């Protein structure tokens, strides 16, 4: 005759399964780390790594984040208003003065590409998603200690000492960029 399982027995059994599964996962993780670490590329190979990104689907006002050498890179297609603001900003009021034209490549004013790491203590700033706060200067806002970056990724307010870094990149076609 089939034995009936009560709810309590069932949840006890689920707990045992879960415990066994997590112990197994820790074991695999511990073993996996040594294995994966031994497969990591040498530092010089990593330094050469580049990544190609198709930017065709990005509409004006939108942004995407890609990973490059383990870091987030923000790619924003700026609106005419964002470009104008970045161009007309007063460099004499900036902590790390740099003209907007020096932060874009190949005369592609719409496209801003910056490493998405706050130059204060390394948080990832907000402002990539439409619903996220972009700070007082319409670029990015780092909530860790309140740094505000403008639509050129330049530091305008808060403790960060320098602008968001522009990585080496180039357009290999109108719709593809190569970072690194
Ligand atoms: S890490 Fe961004 S403000 Fe401190």
């Amino acid at each position: 005759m089939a034995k009936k399982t009560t709810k309590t027995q069932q949840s006890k059994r689920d707990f045992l399964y879960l415990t066994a599964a997590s112990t197994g996962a820790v074991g695999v993780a511990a073993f996996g780390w040594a294995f994966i670490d031994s497969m990591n590329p040498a530092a010089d190979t990593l330094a050469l790594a580049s990544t190609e990104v198709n930017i065709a689907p990005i509409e004006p006002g939108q942004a995407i984040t890609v990973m490059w050498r383990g870091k987030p890179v923000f790619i924003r297609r700026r609106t005419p208003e964002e470009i104008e603001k970045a161009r007309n900003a007063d460099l004499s009021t900036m902590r790390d003065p740099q003209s907007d034209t020096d932060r874009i490549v190949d005369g592609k004013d719409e496209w801003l590409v910056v490493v998405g790491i706050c130059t204060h203590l390394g948080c990832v700033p907000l402002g990539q998603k439409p619903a996220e706060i972009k700070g007082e200067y319409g670029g990015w806002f780092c909530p860790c200690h309140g740094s505000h970056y403008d639509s050129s990724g330049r530091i305008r307010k808060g403790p960060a000492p320098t602008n968001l870094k522009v990585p080496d990149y180039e357009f290999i076609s109108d719709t593809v960029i190569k970072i690194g």
Side-chain angles (χ1 to χ4, degrees):
M1 191 173 81
K3 221 173 148 189
K4 267 199 173 174
T5 313
T6 65
K7 269 204 167 157
T8 318
Q9 281 171 322
Q10 192 161 0
S11 58
K12 264 190 191 165
R13 199 181 56 200
D14 288 350
F15 174 75
L16 286 175
Y17 282 162
L18 284 173
T19 310
S22 5
T23 312
V26 170
V28 169
F31 167 75
W33 172 248
F35 179 66
I36 290 165
D37 197 37
S38 73
M39 290 179 69
N40 273 342
D44 54 349
T45 311
L46 206 58
L48 292 173
S50 62
T51 186
E52 290 182 13
V53 185
N54 177 13
I55 54 173
I58 311 172
E59 297 290 336
Q62 290 183 335
I64 63 165
T65 303
V66 297
M67 292 306 288
W68 170 67
R69 296 183 189 170
K71 299 176 197 150
V73 172
F74 296 162
I75 302 173
R76 186 180 285 186
R77 185 171 183 179
R78 303 186 296 181
T79 61
E81 297 74 41
E82 286 172 328
I83 298 167
E84 201 188 319
K85 262 191 167 179
R87 291 289 152 89
N88 295 336
D90 181 359
L91 296 191
S92 71
T93 63
M94 294 183 197
R95 182 172 306 150
D96 184 13
Q98 191 179 24
S99 75
D100 183 61
T101 47
D102 288 343
R103 294 177 56 77
I104 53 138
V105 305
D106 297 340
K108 308 260 191 194
D109 295 345
E110 275 192 319
W111 297 100
L112 183 74
V113 179
V114 290
V115 175
I117 295 180
C118 180
T119 59
H120 181 222
L121 292 175
C123 289
V124 176
L126 301 173
Q128 284 294 88
K129 295 183 185 149
E132 284 180 352
I133 182 169
K134 291 184 169 54
E136 288 179 23
Y137 294 86
W140 291 270
F141 172 69
C142 182
C144 293
H145 312 92
S147 286
H148 298 250
Y149 296 92
D150 67 12
S151 57
S152 192
R154 295 170 297 199
I155 182 64
R156 302 296 295 278
K157 186 177 175 185
T162 56
N163 303 332
L164 294 179
K165 190 176 180 320
V166 177
D168 288 334
Y169 73 97
E170 62 178 329
F171 282 81
I172 56 176
S173 77
D174 275 348
T175 54
V176 177
I177 63 168
K178 183 174 159 199
I179 306 170

